[in-house]
Amino acid sequence: MRELFFKCIGAILVLYTGAAMGWRKGNAAMRRVQVLADICAFLGAVRDDLHFRCGRTEEILAAAQQNTRLSALPLYFSDLASGCGLQTELDNALCRTEREIAGVTRREERVLLRGALEGLGGCPAQEEKQRLAYAQTRLETALDAARAEAAQQRRLYRTLGLSLGGAAALLLL
């Protein structure tokens, strides 16, 4: 009797472990959606600051970073130097951000982010706004596709985790 009790407890734990693993993997599929939404919001904030305020590039990036509520996107634009060291520090900040989101986003999405931000301060404001608008539009399209893909993956991983946990629990019994 005691043996059966322990098998049932083990089966329940295996079932819950499989379900939890599927739930976790399903939630991880949503991280790309969160990062893309944050990128779009940040680019929109930079574009708004460029449109409504004249200022130095490092101030505009720092203000956009402070004014945008980001949940999954790490940014490093708050301490950029002004003057001739700006482009080097901007490149370093972009590299750090790209490294941290490399496992979540696709290469073309990171290229769009870099293309929108790396030329800031080096061309007229109107051209910068056009570049930001183009990148934001393309990333919003990618965001819509990522939402649909993540919803499918989320359902699949949750169902698969629960099914595999149930199968393992039956084998244990």
Side-chain angles (χ1 to χ4, degrees), residues 1 4 19 21 23 26 32-33 35 40 46 49 65 70 74 99 101 108 112 139 142 147:
M1 187 68 170
L4 181 63
M21 287 172 52
W23 224 262
R32 178 169 173 243
V33 172
V35 168
C40 290
V46 171
D49 279 354
Q65 182 176 340
L70 304 174
R99 271 195 307 272
I101 63 172
E108 56 269 9
L112 282 169
L139 286 167
R147 278 191 180 119

Side-chain angles (χ1 to χ4, degrees), residues 20-92:
M21 287 172 52
W23 224 262
R24 185 169 183 254
K25 187 75 173 168
N27 288 341
M30 292 299 294
R31 178 150 160 72
R32 178 169 173 243
V33 172
Q34 292 170 335
V35 168
L36 288 176
D38 285 353
I39 290 173
C40 290
F42 177 71
L43 291 179
V46 171
R47 201 170 89 208
D48 289 345
D49 279 354
L50 271 172
H51 182 71
F52 292 112
R53 192 179 106 177
C54 291
R56 297 190 319 246
T57 303
E58 64 276 5
E59 293 172 347
I60 289 173
L61 287 171
Q65 182 176 340
Q66 288 175 348
N67 296 336
T68 309
R69 180 171 284 179
L70 304 174
S71 61
L73 180 66
L75 292 174
Y76 305 98
F77 300 127
S78 60
D79 297 326
L80 295 177
S82 59
C84 61
L86 174 66
Q87 289 302 328
T88 304
E89 287 195 21
L90 181 59
D91 186 54
N92 290 340

Side-chain angles (χ1 to χ4, degrees), residues 152-173:
Q152 285 180 336
Q153 286 180 346
R154 195 176 197 181
R155 278 193 304 272
L156 174 70
Y157 286 130
R158 288 179 176 178
T159 304
L160 197 61
L162 192 59
S163 300
L164 289 177
L170 284 175
L171 286 175
L172 186 64
L173 289 175

